[in-house]
Amino acid sequence: MKNFISVKDVLDIPGLVKEALELKKNPYNFKKLGENKTIGLIFLNPSLRTRISTQKAAKNLGMDTIVMNMDKEGWALETQDGVIMNHNTVEHIREAAAVMGQYCDIIGVRSFPRLVDKHEDYSEDFFNKFIKYAGVPIVSLESATLHPLQSLADLITIEETKTKARPKVVLTWAPHIKSLPQAVANSFAEWMTRADVEFVITHPEGYNLAKEFTGNARIEYNQDKALEGADYVYVKNWSSYEDYGKVHSMDSHWMMTNEKLKLTDNAKVMHCLPVRRGIELADEILDGPNSLVIQEAGNRVWAAQAVLKSMLESIK
């Protein structure tokens, strides 16, 4: 695996999930693999699970880790080519990425969208330039459009908890107090449409995700109908893709509760975290027996470790 930006970088999805579950059982079997190797984790936005889980995964493989919060510790980056840098940006991404590639064997990058210009965000220009100029493998710690490490952890969680060969998985929109990216929802849809599951997406009208990620998934605007017989319910807010970055609904009836769970087949409930209690998910679910959010967060380590192991094997 040269880079890990989306599910398209994975040749064998079941094999990667199996590898992650094996690493969960034996975390230190490949500690020599990353010896004398360095991973740089570059954050342009805050992180809790992604930062700590990736650091832990790298340590399990014997790697050294450098963490840099670019918004606080680095120069303001210019990403556009051909500009005269006479404003706020101090360093061009051409030099910054290239220099980081001199120091690191693998680079992880986290960058959120501005949610202003759809074309700008969905071009993934920032990530593409990092790949072009760094000269080393790049792993996405979340981009403007996707969060593949989260989605791999989600699939791992489903695989180790499922009680039927082909479970029904529902991705449901939830209300939120502000405009959020589509990245987690896009990524979850992209992975689930390639997994052996029955996949349904439910949301209010006006919140359709980009077709390039939802593929042949069934789209249902009636949440109750979508939840019928579900084995897993993945809860996530996202802003409008069609009316880009806008929030059209704050309908509290879309929040998952135990009453809604009665429509399912005693479904397990998932969320990428952080979660707004009492807005996206009711306390009774988060604190109840159907919640998988902590196990799911724990699996972020094994998702990252499986990806880093594959990358290290490719650069040995």
Side-chain angles (χ1 to χ4, degrees), residues 5 12 32 35 52 65 84 122 135 137 147 183 215 222 242 250 258 301:
I5 307 300
D12 180 3
K32 291 289 185 181
E35 193 173 46
I52 296 175
T65 305
I84 297 172
Y122 274 68
H147 197 350
N222 183 321
E242 296 163 339
M250 279 286 291
N258 278 345
V301 174

Side-chain angles (χ1 to χ4, degrees), residues 122 182 186 189 207-215 241:
Y122 274 68
Q182 299 98 34
N186 284 344
Y207 283 95
N208 288 76
L209 297 166
K211 186 68 176 174
E212 65 184 286
F213 301 120
T214 59
Y241 170 75

